[in-house]
Amino acid sequence: MNRPLPAARADRPGHSDRPGRVAALGRLLVLTAVVPAELVLLVVVIGSFVLWFGLGIFVLFPSTTRLARAAAGLARAYAGRWSGVPVPPPYLPRPGLERTLHGWFWTGHDYHKNRWFASVARNIRWLWKDPATWRDVLWVVLNPLVGGVLAATPPLLLGVGLYALAGTVLPLPGPDLGPLRALLGGRPAPALTPALTLALGLASTAAGPALARPALRLHGRWTHALLGPTERSRLALRVEQLTETRLDATEAQAAELRRIERDLHDGAQARLVAVSLRLGAVAALIDRDPAQAKTVVTEAQENVTQALQELRDLVRGIHPPVLAERGLAEGLRALALDVPLRVEVRAELPGRAESPVESAVYYAVSEALTNAVKHARARHAAVELVHVGGLLRAEVTDDGRGGADPGRGSGLRGIQRRLAAFDGTLTLISPPGGPTRLTMELPCALSSPRTSTS
């Protein structure tokens, strides 16, 4: 029985388990406790602006701005992990620093002879022109008040309620009612009866935990409203991503062409040249030594057969015929038969993806299985394939030793580059000791309804 590929909760961007009331209160207390540090940061940021605009000392601006960005980054992380509101970083990419043939440094706006001055000028202009910088500054100014009130209200209600309940049985000092007495024109303030105190204490004690999770969620939305990406930053990041993807695709295409040329030169071409030489020798032998000529023809035939096989292997390396004939699911099953470990393939596809997408997924799965054999020393692997919500998702799991890291090998980086050409993503979970799980997602549409069964 086929089943859709289960999406692991840990793999979903921005996913956060809904905290209990006690956990939410604890998180709100932490957010309240950092308010004094935020006030210190506010003083530092204001001081840097005063030094710049008042005394012309601009060197502190990049440092304080980066400090504000670090604090904003922590706020985004807390919003995603604690409040369940993912807040991606909105910053524009930092422009490069180019050195001209004459030794000057170009910042994208002006030239500098000294590299340090060029870096400072580049950083100041970059930070000044980025709208996210001023959103960070606005967050530094407003969050101690707005965020502090949102975070402190539920714990404060709980604390006041518990204090009121304790006051009904213990001789605790009451609040100073002097201001209230002044508002009443010197008349004594109305006293709270024990019953009213008990009722207010119970209501406040119940309201604190009840409001904890909504307040935590609202705090996350407040953070997203100020620190989330703007349309300009989204477009800039998208352009950068597409530029990098195009460069990777161009390099991969050039490398593939070099591989094809090398395989043709060293394989089929060499054998066809040998066949040509042997056939030339046959013309000289056919009259005076027919037996030897027959042997040469047999050897030439063997070379032609080997050359055809090498050409078939080369074509299979470009685009496996099984993909064109039977589709991705059957192609992966055929691939599993050639892998030296037990591989289970489960697929549920209501149609066929585009040929380039099928090829990309095929080779990405092939690379993942090769890594499972070569590096993870796995004995069993599973491949699951499904199309959900406009995404073609392939998941490869193995029972190997784990510890896979894209930074230490070219195989996983190659998979990332291959998927990035189609706007795809790669999620890796590989703790030491295993198991390893690779999840590949590519946006695509399916055509010609067809269901593959396992």
Side-chain angles (χ1 to χ4, degrees):
M1 183 71 179
N2 293 327
R3 58 182 177 88
L5 183 67
R9 297 177 70 180
D11 297 343
R12 296 177 187 170
H15 177 82
S16 175
D17 291 333
R18 187 182 182 187
R21 293 181 177 181
V22 176
L25 281 170
R27 295 173 180 180
L28 290 173
L29 282 173
V30 173
L31 295 174
T32 304
V34 300
V35 170
E38 294 175 354
L39 291 174
V40 173
L41 177 61
L42 174 60
V43 173
V44 172
V45 171
I46 293 177
S48 68
F49 280 100
V50 171
L51 290 175
W52 187 359
F53 295 106
L55 302 177
I57 302 176
F58 60 85
V59 180
L60 296 179
F61 172 73
S63 301
T64 55
T65 302
R66 289 176 178 174
L67 185 62
R69 286 194 171 190
L74 289 176
R76 293 187 188 94
Y78 289 143
R81 297 175 185 174
W82 288 1
S83 303
V85 182
V87 187
Y91 305 113
L92 297 176
R94 183 172 65 176
L97 192 65
E98 301 178 7
R99 187 169 187 175
T100 65
L101 297 176
H102 302 287
W104 290 74
F105 294 94
W106 170 246
T107 65
H109 178 68
D110 50 12
Y111 292 94
H112 293 269
K113 185 65 175 178
N114 183 276
R115 184 182 183 87
W116 183 84
F117 279 110
S119 299
V120 172
R122 183 268 314 271
N123 291 338
I124 290 177
R125 182 174 178 81
W126 165 53
L127 296 171
W128 184 270
K129 291 290 185 179
D130 191 348
T133 298
W134 306 108
R135 293 166 67 88
D136 288 350
V137 172
L138 183 62
W139 173 82
V140 169
V141 173
L142 297 180
N143 193 67
L145 176 61
V146 180
V149 170
L150 290 174
T153 298
L156 184 60
L157 286 173
L158 178 62
V160 170
L162 293 177
Y163 188 87
L165 291 177
T168 60
V169 296
L170 297 175
L172 298 177
D176 183 13
L177 299 178
L180 180 59
R181 190 175 295 111
L183 290 175
L184 295 175
R187 295 189 302 271
L192 296 178
T193 63
L196 184 57
T197 302
L198 179 61
L200 292 176
L202 290 174
S204 182
T205 303
L211 294 176
R213 287 187 294 193
L216 187 62
R217 182 77 176 179
L218 188 59
H219 191 282
R221 291 178 178 176
W222 158 255
T223 303
H224 185 276
L226 281 187
L227 300 181
T230 62
E231 189 63 26
R232 179 182 177 185
S233 62
R234 286 194 188 97
L235 290 175
L237 292 174
R238 181 62 175 159
V239 168
E240 183 184 22
Q241 179 186 8
L242 291 177
T243 301
E244 183 179 354
T245 300
R246 183 181 63 180
L247 179 61
D248 290 339
T250 302
E251 293 178 350
Q253 182 182 22
E256 185 70 9
L257 290 176
R258 289 193 298 269
R259 181 189 69 82
I260 294 173
E261 181 181 6
R262 183 177 62 252
D263 290 348
L264 287 174
H265 181 273
D266 298 340
Q269 178 179 337
R271 295 190 182 279
L272 292 177
V273 169
V275 169
S276 176
L277 294 176
R278 291 180 183 278
L279 291 178
V282 168
L285 293 174
I286 195 170
D287 293 330
R288 56 186 178 86
D289 194 348
Q292 182 65 23
K294 183 178 180 179
T295 301
V296 173
V297 170
T298 302
E299 293 176 353
Q301 184 180 12
E302 293 176 354
N303 280 338
V304 170
T305 302
Q306 293 176 358
L308 289 175
Q309 183 60 42
E310 290 177 354
L311 287 175
R312 292 192 188 99
D313 294 339
L314 182 61
V315 171
R316 189 177 296 112
I318 299 173
H319 186 76
V322 68
L323 288 182
E325 297 170 0
R326 305 176 63 184
L328 179 59
E330 299 302 330
L332 292 180
R333 292 190 178 97
L335 174 66
L337 298 176
D338 296 331
V339 178
L341 78 161
R342 189 162 58 93
V343 180
E344 179 184 1
V345 179
R346 296 189 293 271
E348 185 174 321
L349 295 180
R352 291 284 301 271
E354 295 181 356
S355 178
V357 174
E358 288 188 339
S359 180
V361 174
Y362 177 89
Y363 285 113
V365 172
S366 175
E367 181 67 30
L369 294 177
T370 300
N371 290 340
V373 175
K374 185 177 179 181
H375 303 293
R377 300 176 183 175
R379 293 176 297 177
H380 176 264
V383 179
E384 297 184 89
L385 194 65
V386 71
H387 186 270
V388 177
L391 290 176
L392 178 62
R393 183 185 303 151
E395 184 176 281
V396 181
T397 58
D398 66 72
D399 60 355
R401 58 183 180 180
D405 183 5
R408 295 187 310 195
S410 59
L412 292 175
R413 291 199 301 271
I415 294 177
Q416 288 177 325
R417 288 194 296 267
R418 188 182 294 273
L419 299 179
F422 300 91
D423 233 5
T425 59
L426 172 67
T427 302
L428 170 66
I429 299 178
S430 183
T436 295
R437 180 171 60 192
L438 278 172
T439 303
M440 296 163 276
E441 293 183 334
L442 291 86
C444 72
L446 301 185
S447 60
S448 64
R450 168 185 174 185
T451 302
S452 297
T453 59
S454 58

